[in-house]
Amino acid sequence: MVESPSSAAPSSLKPSRQFQSRARLVVIGGGISGTSAAWTAAREAVKQELDVETLLLEKETVLGGKASAIREDGWLFETGPLGYLDNEPIVDELVRGVGLEEERVPASDASSHRFVFLDGRLKEVASHPVRFLASGLLSPRALLRAACEPFVRTKRDGLDESVWDFAARRLGRDVADRLIHPMVLGIFAGDAKRLSLPSAFPIMAELERDHGSLIRAQLARSRARRRGTLPPRRSSLFSFRDGLETLPRRLSERGSFETRTACVVLTVTRREEGFLVVLEGGASIPADSVIVASEGFSAASLLADAAPDVSQALAEISYPPVYVIALGYGAEAKRSIPRGFGALIPRGAGFRSLGVTWDGHLFPGHNAEDGLLVRVLLGGTFDPEIAKLDENAAAAIAEGEMQRLFALSVAPRFLRARLWRQAIPQYELGHGARVQLVDEALARTPGLFLAGNALHGTAFGKAAARGVACGERAIVWLAGRAPKK
């Protein structure tokens, strides 16, 4: 249920005192993590017959956070994440819980074709070994070095390691430079030499730790799947007919909690019994428990009083700017743009673009009639100056680079841009220690929980899973304090 601030004035909220009235849980942030937390907490409270009021506060006028779509003239422009992978079962549970199974849309088989711009042209990163060897992505010498990966000594010192250093150590510098560096740019808009491998790609660290080699790990997993001792690999891309924002909004519509949009939280303070959530305009809401599910930089400001150590740790996380530009072309573009997921563009290739996603190939419902929608990403760690450009200037860069990449001679029929001034949290070296510090500080602040994507995974599914976990933990914590119904 969504209410505007005027429909329930803050003055109507009486103090929530343990053992005297129903408990109150306040969730701050209406993206996928916050709505998942509120949905889960409300359901868990009912299951445990706890008298808990769950209230979600969102500063914007609509829910969704970076899961935000623009529908115009038949085009569907995802201004943030394009979809989610089905390797996070929690998302499937949420989808079923709010009855969205029929709205879910799988990506087409084009998603299996991915490209990188190398040596002046697009080259497909083939999954089949023979096609990969023949693709020209790597020189014979680089291929030979990568093939030696099973014989590389396993790292056992427990120290942090960058994504680039890990790839160079195990697979060689050519693989790290030509494949891993652009991949990290496409996922994090960040620098592979600064991002922490165990934090950004924990599965890679796990494979080396458990098997001593990435190649041996993949062979062992393949054997286990054939024997049925390991479930089939799940990595398919999904969205919804009206975009990713559908899920957080449906969670609010179907959830047994109150949602207030256009409600700006200034700070969270501790008091003798719980917390006080201070709103813009001077009003405040007492709470027994609080889940902060906003962006890390926002959470840092909100928690300066209630959890200063958490606040400081979150404030240290970098969020580079990213421009997302949508270009909708006519049918003629389909002759020039390969059918696939998209293309990564390494630094030094002569383009400002981090990469291009071919949304219309992946999700044909994003196209207007006889059209093809693509998105260009600009900015990131290596190009923070992009944030100084207005939307027209950024769109002009994207259009020009599309013309160069694909020899397009026609202008797009649809052109829109969205700047995220603080886009994706960077899990840089030392991130694991930061997570541990935050966990220890939260343990000293009973009733306070941190959701969102600042610490435990940037993807849509990871943020949802973190929200669900925090919703469950909040109800467990309240269980001994809230009166039974």
Side-chain angles (χ1 to χ4, degrees):
M1 178 176 64
V2 180
E3 295 186 3
S4 66
S6 60
S7 62
S11 60
S12 67
L13 293 170
K14 304 298 182 184
S16 177
R17 293 187 176 276
Q18 292 84 0
F19 314 113
Q20 296 181 24
S21 64
R22 70 189 311 205
R24 180 180 296 127
L25 168 64
V26 173
V27 180
I28 304 172
I32 185 58
S33 200
T35 52
S36 298
W39 162 268
T40 302
R43 284 170 62 92
E44 289 299 310
V46 171
K47 289 179 183 178
Q48 299 188 35
E49 298 184 337
L50 298 178
D51 192 9
V52 178
E53 171 194 7
T54 302
L55 174 62
L56 185 145
L57 308 177
E58 166 56 43
K59 66 179 180 179
E60 303 295 341
T61 58
V62 295
L63 300 176
K66 284 190 168 73
S68 173
I70 296 173
R71 173 74 77 175
E72 185 178 328
D73 298 331
W75 305 97
L76 179 62
F77 168 29
E78 288 279 16
T79 67
L82 178 59
Y84 70 91
L85 295 175
D86 64 349
N87 57 6
E88 196 63 64
I90 287 293
V91 180
D92 291 337
E93 293 176 20
L94 293 171
V95 169
R96 288 192 297 269
V98 294
L100 278 176
E101 299 98 318
E102 297 302 316
E103 296 295 313
R104 197 172 73 149
V105 179
S108 73
D109 59 4
S111 62
S112 63
H113 300 284
R114 300 172 186 240
F115 297 78
V116 62
F117 188 84
L118 289 173
D119 307 322
R121 63 188 181 91
L122 286 180
K123 297 182 180 182
E124 184 173 357
V125 184
S127 57
H128 191 280
V130 174
R131 289 177 58 207
F132 182 86
L133 291 173
S135 65
L137 288 167
L138 299 172
S139 67
R141 179 177 179 180
L143 289 169
L144 180 61
R145 170 62 182 85
C148 294
E149 191 272 341
F151 307 103
V152 175
R153 181 177 300 178
T154 303
K155 186 175 184 295
R156 303 285 188 190
D157 59 14
L159 300 177
D160 207 350
E161 183 177 28
S162 77
V163 177
W164 189 92
D165 285 335
F166 173 86
R169 176 172 60 83
R170 296 221 60 88
L171 297 164
R173 295 175 64 93
D174 283 351
V175 171
D177 285 335
R178 293 171 67 84
L179 298 179
I180 303 304
H181 216 306
M183 179 193 73
V184 170
L185 276 171
I187 297 174
F188 283 90
D191 184 353
K193 293 185 177 181
R194 292 165 57 181
L195 292 187
S196 162
L197 186 280
S199 298
F201 299 97
I203 186 64
M204 294 293 103
E206 178 185 325
L207 292 177
E208 181 184 32
R209 183 182 66 245
D210 294 347
H211 299 275
S213 157
L214 301 181
I215 292 177
R216 287 202 298 268
Q218 293 304 322
L219 292 174
R221 288 183 161 217
S222 295
R223 289 193 297 268
R225 290 192 179 97
R226 287 195 298 270
R227 292 194 301 264
T229 56
L230 189 68
R233 182 179 180 183
R234 301 177 67 190
S235 60
S236 298
L237 185 70
F238 286 86
S239 185
F240 301 96
R241 286 179 185 152
D242 291 319
L244 278 185
E245 65 186 21
T246 302
L247 181 55
R249 295 181 183 183
R250 180 68 69 87
L251 287 168
S252 176
E253 292 169 3
R254 297 286 180 89
S256 300
F257 59 92
E258 180 185 343
T259 297
R260 297 188 181 183
T261 56
C263 187
V264 178
V265 178
L266 297 181
T267 189
V268 177
T269 63
R270 296 179 70 176
R271 56 182 195 147
E272 186 177 348
E273 294 182 345
F275 303 87
L276 199 64
V277 179
V278 181
L279 308 180
E280 188 176 64
S284 59
I285 302 173
D288 299 289
S289 180
V290 174
I291 299 175
V292 178
S294 56
E295 302 270 20
F297 50 86
S298 296
S301 175
L302 297 176
L303 295 175
D305 178 86
D309 290 343
V310 175
S311 172
Q312 181 177 344
L314 293 175
E316 294 171 353
I317 300 174
S318 171
Y319 284 74
V322 172
Y323 249 118
V324 185
I325 296 96
L327 304 96
Y329 291 95
E332 65 279 353
K334 296 179 182 180
R335 295 191 292 269
S336 302
I337 299 175
R339 190 170 182 274
F341 189 103
L344 300 170
I345 304 175
R347 298 299 83 197
F351 295 86
R352 291 186 77 172
S353 301
L354 304 174
V356 183
T357 59
W358 304 324
D359 299 23
H361 283 323
L362 296 170
F363 298 107
H366 291 195
N367 295 325
E369 186 175 1
D370 294 327
L372 178 64
L373 185 74
V374 303
R375 295 188 310 166
V376 173
L377 307 180
L378 302 172
T381 298
F382 290 100
D383 193 8
E385 297 296 307
I386 201 73
K388 296 180 180 179
L389 301 182
D390 63 23
E391 292 183 358
N392 290 332
I397 291 173
E399 183 179 355
E401 297 201 346
M402 282 294 297
Q403 291 174 348
R404 291 172 57 203
L405 281 167
F406 302 107
L408 295 173
S409 59
V410 295
R413 292 160 36 187
F414 174 80
L415 185 60
R416 297 290 182 274
R418 174 64 188 266
L419 171 63
W420 299 105
R421 293 190 178 277
Q422 293 169 292
I424 304 171
Q426 301 296 294
Y427 294 177
E428 295 184 349
L429 291 168
H431 186 79
R434 180 181 295 114
V435 172
Q436 182 177 351
L437 185 155
V438 169
D439 287 344
E440 292 171 353
L442 289 173
R444 299 191 298 269
T445 315
L448 179 64
F449 303 89
L450 183 65
N453 69 352
L455 298 177
H456 298 281
T458 63
F460 184 86
K462 292 294 184 184
R466 183 64 183 172
V468 169
C470 287
E472 292 173 341
R473 292 172 189 172
I475 294 304
V476 168
W477 185 82
L478 286 168
R481 306 166 68 85
K484 291 283 185 177
K485 290 184 178 178

